[in-house]
Amino acid sequence: MSRSSSSIGSDHRFGRADECSIRNAQIEARFAPWAGGRLVSLRHVDHGDILVPLNDLHFAPDAWPKAGAFPLFPFHNRIRDAYFTMNDRRVRLRPNMANGRDVMHGPAHQRPWDITETGPALLGMTLNYHADDDWPFDFTASQRFELCEDGLSISLKLINSGKTAMPGGIGWHPYFRPASDGQIQVHAEQTAECPDAGASPITLDVTQHYSGWKETIARIDTLPGATISLTAVSGLSYCALLHKADYLCIEPVSHLAGAFQIAPASRSGAGLRLLAPGEFMTGTAMLRIL
């Protein structure tokens, strides 16, 4: 039986040691479904850690470490002042304690997930979410990871399991360790203007947003140095990229950052979906070690 979601207060900390892994001849991926459906490490036989490894799962869910990778359901980035408008009313959310008055990255990575599919090189996880103060709509989210010879396929699905329409989006939030030369190439139709951040070149400490996104190629800090490619396969035509001194986030997502601050009638043009009861959306990205 699946474990339903439960509200997690600011004093709760992930602390279970439950982990599972998948592997092939080249790559091993370790997961902690209990800790927000996270991928905690991705190791290559020649290059070592591809992601910044998440070694300590004892953390407050709303003050997550900058490591591993986590799911973004049912939205990504920031909802300012923890509310948005829908049907001429304000929908209020509980702010993330670590983000002041705002909400960041949705509640799915702050909930325990269930393993629903396993194989030597694949793993599926599901979250059955019930409306609460963090998100007042029911939904079901799933992640499916499958290793190939040179990388990892990431498939995401969001279903409106409630009885009313729900706005939503999907995405994935990995942390890489950037190479000292900072080489990053982005293939996208345009740099996106959004309510949360204007257009700017790729520089340290600035989140850059892209629409019509196809691929990002980056050098990462491994021994020996590796180049990774993260590609949009389907349903993830936006990308948020944050280059910090000690980590690099390349986030394939389905909608523009700040889409909830756009007028409701214009949100679909920014990729944000309004899902009817029973309706779903999917997206797939491919991470390759070149």
Side-chain angles (χ1 to χ4, degrees):
M1 180 178 294
S2 294
R3 182 191 302 111
S4 63
S5 68
S6 59
S7 178
I8 298 178
S10 60
D11 59 343
H12 177 89
R13 290 179 179 270
F14 289 130
R16 286 176 49 159
D18 304 25
E19 293 184 16
C20 53
S21 63
I22 58 177
R23 61 180 58 83
N24 61 19
Q26 301 293 320
I27 305 167
E28 180 185 39
R30 291 192 303 115
F31 301 87
W34 176 257
R38 278 172 164 77
L39 171 58
V40 297
S41 74
L42 187 68
R43 288 186 59 83
H44 189 273
V45 65
D46 295 324
H47 299 289
D49 285 309
I50 301 302
L51 295 174
V52 178
L54 176 53
N55 296 318
D56 184 3
L57 294 178
H58 292 77
F59 62 90
D62 59 1
W64 53 90
K66 306 302 189 285
F70 61 81
L72 299 168
F73 291 93
F75 64 89
H76 83 101
N77 206 262
R78 189 181 304 270
I79 296 181
R80 294 200 178 277
D81 298 321
Y83 79 89
F84 61 91
T85 58
M86 180 177 174
N87 298 328
D88 297 321
R89 68 181 180 90
R90 284 192 174 190
V91 178
R92 294 195 175 275
L93 309 174
R94 176 163 43 201
N96 294 135
M97 297 299 292
N99 291 292
R101 296 166 55 186
D102 303 333
V103 178
M104 198 80 170
H105 292 328
H109 72 105
Q110 302 180 32
R111 299 296 190 274
W113 289 58
D114 290 295
I115 297 174
T116 51
E117 184 181 11
T118 59
L122 69 88
L123 182 136
M125 290 184 279
T126 297
L127 168 67
N128 293 315
Y129 191 94
H130 299 298
D132 60 13
D133 291 341
D134 292 328
W135 185 252
F137 305 94
D138 295 344
F139 67 84
T140 300
S142 63
Q143 305 178 82
R144 188 179 191 275
F145 300 88
E146 185 167 8
L147 293 173
C148 61
E149 182 179 357
D150 62 349
L152 177 70
S153 172
I154 306 103
S155 296
L156 310 172
K157 185 175 184 178
L158 173 66
I159 306 172
N160 179 357
S161 55
K163 297 181 179 180
T164 61
M166 180 191 84
I170 58 179
W172 192 59
H173 196 310
Y175 291 88
F176 304 97
R177 185 167 287 118
S180 57
D181 59 22
Q183 292 185 22
I184 304 170
Q185 301 174 44
V186 180
H187 301 281
E189 292 177 3
Q190 63 183 8
T191 303
E193 297 285 352
C194 66
D196 290 300
S200 59
I202 298 173
T203 55
L204 284 176
D205 302 325
V206 175
T207 302
Q208 184 65 73
H209 303 272
Y210 299 92
S211 62
W213 174 71
K214 297 175 177 61
E215 182 182 33
T216 299
I217 300 172
R219 292 279 293 171
I220 60 172
D221 184 15
T222 62
L223 292 175
T227 299
I228 56 101
S229 166
L230 194 55
T231 305
V233 177
S234 65
L236 301 170
S237 59
Y238 294 83
C239 180
L241 190 152
L242 175 58
H243 186 194
K244 304 281 279 188
D246 53 351
Y247 62 84
L248 170 66
C249 299
I250 306 170
E251 306 161 35
V253 292
S254 65
H255 64 83
L256 184 65
F260 281 91
Q261 272 64 62
I262 298 172
S266 302
R267 288 173 184 166
S268 62
L272 192 64
R273 295 279 300 275
L274 185 65
L275 299 173
E279 191 175 6
F280 66 88
M281 62 185 298
T282 61
T284 299
M286 186 71 198
L287 173 62
R288 284 191 166 91
I289 298 97
L290 305 179

